[in-house]
Amino acid sequence: MKPALPLNEAERLQLLYQLQILDTQAEPEFDALTKLAALICQSEISVISLIDKDRQWFKARLNIEDPETTRETSFCAHAILQPEQLTYVPDASLDPRFADNPNVTQNNGIRFYAGAPLLIKPGIALGTLCVVDTKPRQLTEAQQNALILLAKQAVSLMQSRLLAREKELQQQTLLTVTEHVPVLLGQIDRQQRYVFCNSKYSQWFGINPTEAIGRSISEV
């Protein structure tokens, strides 16, 4: 069964693109979450999946080669339709949503799936942290809860990553501006130690900027 589109699809995609995470390099923090999910749930495969307009892209993946698949055949594209709960499929061959899915009908196809939504805001899931197996499976309540907690941690990592990038860009912009303004700029902290000086300031006072940072005015 082809997955439907969420009613808030336009807003969902906008939030996804704002994170600027699609097609980025692998990162150890995300890889660790997939490994931990597989370990806790004792599954063969685990991925952090993000649902783009026409594809499913994996920010982290364990025991799967392809970095992305079509959205049409994605289990996670179904999972984001119920963003407030775990999508739990003990045997996909018996589930009408997935019984005719080529990932299920092929040899050694998917049987078990559990996907915890990557909830970016109430009612909007960007994808899932999911575990997959080629044989029917069950998860305990504790395992299901752990998967949900790991998905929340994945979202926190994405948001922290975006904030760090925005802060870096702001700092780069500030440095560019301070180097081009036609004035002397120096900054000290409450202990009278240099935390910044632009090139005009350092040239005027004969200060090496690298050596000045962290040292007191009187010492310099």
Side-chain angles (χ1 to χ4, degrees), residues 55-178:
R55 60 171 177 158
Q56 170 183 233
W57 179 77
F58 303 133
K59 174 56 183 173
R61 61 189 193 273
L62 179 67
N63 292 329
I64 185 170
E65 294 184 3
D66 295 331
E68 63 181 58
T69 69
T70 65
R71 179 171 180 169
E72 186 173 346
T73 59
S74 166
F75 279 52
C76 298
H78 288 274
I80 64 172
L81 298 176
Q82 42 185 19
E84 304 291 344
Q85 66 186 65
L86 181 79
T87 297
Y88 183 49
V89 185
D91 189 344
S93 67
L94 303 178
D95 191 308
R97 293 172 296 177
F98 308 112
D100 62 350
N101 189 302
N103 293 318
V104 176
T105 57
Q106 66 183 2
N107 291 333
N108 203 34
I110 294 173
R111 287 297 176 269
F112 167 79
Y113 171 89
L118 301 175
L119 200 64
I120 194 66
K121 63 183 294 187
I124 299 181
L126 302 183
T128 73
L129 170 57
C130 65
V131 289
V132 178
D133 215 323
T134 55
K135 54 183 180 294
R137 288 278 312 284
Q138 298 285 341
L139 291 183
T140 65
E141 183 177 351
Q143 288 172 319
Q144 294 180 45
N145 289 335
L147 194 60
I148 292 171
L149 290 174
L150 291 174
K152 291 179 179 179
Q153 181 61 28
V155 173
S156 294
L157 283 176
M158 291 177 190
Q159 293 173 326
S160 297
R161 180 184 176 281
L162 178 62
L163 289 174
R165 187 175 184 278
E166 289 178 343
K167 184 178 180 180
E168 181 182 355
L169 289 174
Q170 289 172 354
Q171 291 174 336
Q172 291 175 350
T173 301
L174 178 60
L175 288 174
T176 300
V177 170
T178 57

Side-chain angles (χ1 to χ4, degrees), residues 5 24 71:
L5 294 178
T24 56
R71 179 171 180 169

Side-chain angles (χ1 to χ4, degrees), residues 157-204:
L157 283 176
M158 291 177 190
Q159 293 173 326
S160 297
R161 180 184 176 281
L162 178 62
L163 289 174
R165 187 175 184 278
E166 289 178 343
K167 184 178 180 180
E168 181 182 355
L169 289 174
Q170 289 172 354
Q171 291 174 336
Q172 291 175 350
T173 301
L174 178 60
L175 288 174
T176 300
V177 170
T178 57
E179 282 301 310
H180 289 84
V181 292
V183 295
L184 312 179
L185 290 176
Q187 183 180 2
I188 56 174
D189 62 16
R190 292 181 179 180
Q191 285 73 44
Q192 303 292 299
R193 294 175 302 202
Y194 281 101
V195 294
F196 171 78
C197 59
N198 70 354
S199 57
K200 289 182 175 61
Y201 186 99
S202 60
Q203 291 168 6
W204 182 268

